[in-house]
Amino acid sequence: MQVMMFAVPLYFGDAGGMDRTATPPAAAAGPTAAAETHESSHREGLAALTLGAIGVVYGDIGTSPLYTIREVFAPATGVPLDHAHVVGAVSAIFWALMLVVTLKYVVLVLRADNRGEGGALALAALAAQAVHDRPRMRAAVLLLGVAGAALFYGDSVLTPAISVLGAIEGLEVMTPALKPFVVPTSAAILIGLFAVQRFGTGKVGAWFGPIIVLWFATLTVSGVLQIAQEPAILAALDPRHAWRFLTERGAGVLLAVGAIVLAVTGAEALYADMGHFGRTPIRLAWLGLVFPALAINYMGQGALLMRDPSALENPFYRLFPESALVAALVIATLAAIIASQAVISGAYSVTRQAIQLGLLPRLAVRFTSAREAGQVYLPAVNAVLLAGVVGAVFAFGSSSALAGAYGISVTLTMLLTTALTWFVIRKSWRLPAPLAAGATAVFLALDLLLVAGCSAKLFDGGWFTLALAAALMIAMTTWARGRALLIAGIRAEGLELEAFVHGVATEGLPHAQRVAVYPVADPSTVPQALLHNLKHNQVLHERNVILTVDFRDVPWVDDGQRVTVETLAPGFWRVRAAFGFMEVPDVPRALALAEEKGLRLSVFETSYFLSRETVVPAARGGGMAHWRERLFAAMSRGSSGIAGFFRLPDNAVVELGTRVQI
């Protein structure tokens, strides 16, 4: 298969980003009318984005009340179910939400945007820019970003499983006779969810916000009704209760923390989805609705347990009278599906970013919306996630069992986010060292406590997400290293481009009256496809474009900086096209912009000559261990074609094969 025909380096270059802040059109009636129009448009846009953020960003953390309180008082944690410990546990959950989500993510991390985008890879790219003058530190920072991306997939497998299982377990509360149907019903719902991914989320996305708003309203009302009956639970607002609850546990504090962390899973989504909604809507949604609703519901569950300890069987569903159980089950299931959808879509986006940053081989990407380039569907990722999620449902069998595996990948990702944010706040924002170190130390200590708490779950299933992340790390680093070796091999064995084209231009070969575009990873060497074309067809095109595509460490590249054009010899040009890691790499559209640089290329007269390279491991003396060379070769064979990935027209592509050793 084609490998490394385009320069998509692991290292990142410098480029400006696209200014995506649109100014609403002003009315023609004068300054006052224009200002009113701008203000009205801003309000409407902000309201829509805030509603969208509620639906997409907060689905995961919003479904945590389904199982968190129950797991805090599970027998494995050793936490007694009495008045003092209920207040202490709820207080610990409240202040975890305050410190981890509100202060760390909403106040601090959301400021670390990479041209409006967030997430592990975007943050790693931003941190790498901050230490660009220190190559070893830069490499370490990028490796942390790769680790964060790999850990995300563990969350992508467990979140749908635990969310849907936690919701469907309401059947047991309705009648124990339905317990045998919980697992198959959950699996059926998840299979249906993955089956409709190919159609895209655009059609149902408009329903996400209102449904999740209804969900948070349900959390609020059910919590308030219980608090009204046991107002003593409001003492949980006092952080001293949380402190006593944790310090009195001794070594057992880790078991309690491992359960409390379930309340903050999904916090990373605030940052990862910033590019879709912006920091202001995400902040408004959290502070205005989500945080209050979660706090009230956790207190409501605590109040219920103080009055009726037997409700621990399922404290969430026991908040509702029997007459409302069916309605609660339906809305909880819908909320769980939406939470699952959000993390599934996130897996597609992270995979696409990793591909464009040179960390994974090309995979088939289908765009499910003609208007939103970010709405994508990757069949291979969908199939792998489906197998993992359904396998987890049947293997663990309940949300309580899954809670043992859940949390490790999430808390490790939080820890990596804090570490990467240090480079941004110190190097890019240039905050004073004591302030930057103090803030980072506080959050690092908190993250380490959460990681330590979840590490107690390692042998209860936590190993699963770590094994998955390790496998992905190996795959990503192998692919990146293999690509680097392949480029080095092509450069070592290739012919020097400028001398070659000057010689060919004067040989008087027959000319085809068309344009030939030769993509190449190394713009200083002659493309293999060009050599094969001359050897087999003995013809030179009238205009020849040596094209290199770069993906940069910014989400978007402005069209004015999209292409650079250099004349090499009569009939030869060298073109570099740049894309951000959130963009659709549309090469024909980029080449159309070359006309502004003096190179006009007719779409109907252009052919793309691609080298279809078969990678074979070296017999010995390669740049990687032999097993990694074989892995790289296998990944290369599974890589999808360049033509589809770069939006090349099918009827204008010619592929010529060659074998390359690494």
Side-chain angles (χ1 to χ4, degrees):
M1 300 295 289
Q2 309 96 312
V3 180
M4 281 307 303
M5 284 303 302
F6 290 80
V8 191
L10 178 61
Y11 59 87
F12 301 121
D14 297 325
M18 180 181 294
D19 182 1
R20 297 184 293 134
T21 304
T23 302
T32 302
E36 291 175 354
T37 301
H38 179 93
E39 184 178 350
S40 175
S41 299
H42 177 74
R43 284 198 304 267
E44 292 175 2
L46 184 60
L49 287 171
T50 303
L51 181 63
I54 292 170
V56 175
V57 176
Y58 294 109
D60 186 0
I61 198 170
T63 54
S64 295
L66 286 168
Y67 43 78
T68 299
I69 290 288
R70 184 184 64 204
E71 297 310 314
V72 171
F73 292 98
T77 65
V79 179
L81 184 57
D82 57 35
H83 183 285
H85 287 92
V86 168
V87 173
V90 173
S91 182
I93 291 173
F94 175 83
W95 286 101
L97 291 171
M98 178 66 77
L99 296 175
V100 175
V101 185
T102 306
L103 293 185
K104 177 182 172 180
Y105 281 95
V106 173
V107 174
L108 177 64
V109 176
L110 283 181
R111 292 187 58 205
D113 67 290
N114 190 337
R115 311 294 172 88
E117 298 294 337
L121 292 176
L123 181 60
L126 195 64
Q129 290 178 357
V131 292
H132 64 89
D133 55 340
R134 301 173 64 182
R136 291 187 179 180
M137 182 67 72
R138 180 184 176 85
V141 163
L142 294 175
L143 190 61
L144 290 179
V146 173
L151 287 165
F152 177 80
Y153 289 95
D155 190 27
S156 300
V157 169
L158 293 188
T159 293
I162 194 172
S163 297
V164 173
L165 269 174
I168 300 302
E169 282 169 349
L171 292 173
E172 299 179 42
V173 180
M174 295 172 61
T175 170
L178 294 176
K179 183 175 181 178
F181 298 97
V182 169
V183 169
T185 301
S186 299
I189 290 173
L190 289 165
I191 290 172
L193 177 62
F194 280 95
V196 301
Q197 292 301 309
R198 69 187 67 184
F199 302 111
T201 59
K203 294 181 180 179
V204 297
W207 294 92
F208 283 10
I211 290 174
I212 295 296
V213 168
L214 177 60
W215 167 250
F216 284 119
T218 302
L219 294 182
T220 303
V221 172
S222 60
V224 166
L225 292 176
Q226 296 296 331
I227 294 171
Q229 299 179 63
E230 190 64 51
I233 191 63
L234 293 175
L237 295 173
D238 186 342
R240 291 176 296 179
H241 290 287
W243 178 256
R244 280 196 295 268
F245 174 81
L246 295 174
T247 55
E248 291 175 358
R249 304 258 60 75
V253 69
L254 297 182
L255 297 175
V257 168
I260 290 169
V261 76
L262 296 172
V264 298
T265 55
E268 192 71 20
L270 278 72
Y271 183 50
D273 288 325
M274 181 169 57
H276 296 285
F277 304 101
R279 69 165 66 95
T280 299
I282 290 175
R283 285 172 170 167
L284 286 175
W286 173 255
L287 297 173
L289 176 64
V290 180
F291 183 31
L294 290 175
I296 289 171
N297 191 264
Y298 284 125
M299 289 187 184
Q301 292 189 45
L304 173 63
L305 291 178
M306 291 169 70
R307 290 190 302 106
D308 181 10
S310 67
L312 184 61
E313 172 194 7
N314 197 313
F316 174 77
Y317 280 110
R318 291 287 295 274
L319 292 174
F320 303 91
E322 289 188 11
S323 59
L325 273 179
V326 174
L329 176 64
V330 170
I331 187 62
T333 301
L334 291 174
I337 290 173
I338 292 172
S340 303
Q341 177 62 64
V343 78
I344 292 168
S345 300
Y348 298 154
S349 298
V350 169
T351 302
R352 183 178 168 212
Q353 290 181 34
I355 291 170
Q356 298 187 176
L357 291 174
L359 299 171
L360 286 174
R362 290 180 304 276
L363 299 174
V365 178
R366 298 179 187 173
F367 296 88
T368 60
S369 171
R371 295 181 301 170
E372 298 295 334
Q375 293 186 15
V376 295
Y377 166 67
L378 284 78
V381 175
N382 194 68
V384 172
L385 284 180
L386 172 60
V389 170
V390 174
V393 168
F394 282 103
F396 290 93
S398 70
S399 61
S400 292
L402 270 167
Y406 200 41
I408 290 184
S409 61
V410 177
T411 52
L412 283 172
T413 304
M414 292 178 177
L415 179 63
L416 293 176
T417 296
T418 301
L420 290 171
T421 305
W422 154 259
F423 296 99
V424 177
I425 64 178
R426 180 70 184 104
K427 301 294 184 180
S428 295
W429 301 350
R430 301 188 182 280
L431 292 183
L435 178 60
T440 304
V442 169
F443 291 123
L444 273 179
L446 185 58
D447 290 335
L448 286 171
L449 175 62
L450 297 179
V451 170
C454 289
S455 66
K457 307 175 181 180
L458 183 63
F459 297 107
D460 291 329
W463 60 268
F464 172 75
T465 54
L466 295 184
L468 178 61
L472 286 167
M473 280 282 291
I474 291 172
M476 288 180 175
T477 54
T478 297
W479 182 254
R481 177 61 177 162
R483 289 168 62 84
L485 291 173
L486 193 54
I487 287 183
I490 292 173
R491 183 179 293 119
E493 298 178 7
L495 301 175
E496 200 276 322
L497 179 63
E498 295 195 22
F500 178 84
V501 298
H502 279 94
V504 169
T506 59
E507 285 187 4
L509 292 169
H511 282 66
Q513 302 301 308
R514 288 182 62 81
V515 178
V517 177
Y518 296 98
V520 62
D522 181 4
S524 66
T525 59
V526 181
Q528 290 292 316
L530 174 55
L531 294 175
H532 284 301
N533 195 26
L534 290 173
K535 176 182 178 181
H536 297 292
N537 299 324
Q538 297 183 353
V539 66
L540 190 67
H541 284 68
E542 183 179 40
R543 284 179 289 175
N544 300 272
V545 175
I546 312 302
L547 173 68
T548 302
V549 173
D550 294 311
F551 285 104
R552 296 181 174 169
D553 67 330
V554 293
W556 313 90
V557 174
D558 187 81
D559 276 351
Q561 302 174 357
R562 180 79 64 200
V563 295
T564 58
V565 178
E566 176 187 359
T567 302
L568 297 175
F572 283 89
W573 291 265
R574 180 157 49 201
V575 175
R576 298 189 77 108
F579 295 94
F581 57 79
M582 293 295 292
E583 293 186 279
V584 177
D586 191 331
V587 166
R589 181 181 177 278
L591 289 177
L593 298 173
E595 184 172 356
E596 300 175 2
K597 313 284 180 150
L599 176 60
R600 184 179 179 278
L601 304 174
S602 172
V603 174
F604 303 104
E605 298 177 356
T606 301
S607 299
Y608 298 86
F609 290 85
L610 311 179
S611 289
R612 187 177 182 86
E613 298 173 344
T614 300
V615 178
V616 293
R620 63 179 183 274
M624 293 190 294
H626 189 63
W627 67 268
R628 294 186 72 191
E629 291 179 347
R630 294 176 65 86
L631 174 60
F632 178 73
M635 294 172 72
S636 299
R637 290 191 295 271
S639 176
S640 68
I642 288 176
F645 187 75
F646 288 101
R647 313 298 290 274
L648 305 182
D650 293 335
N651 60 355
V653 174
V654 179
E655 291 189 274
L656 302 169
T658 186
R659 290 169 65 87
V660 178
Q661 274 196 345
I662 59 170

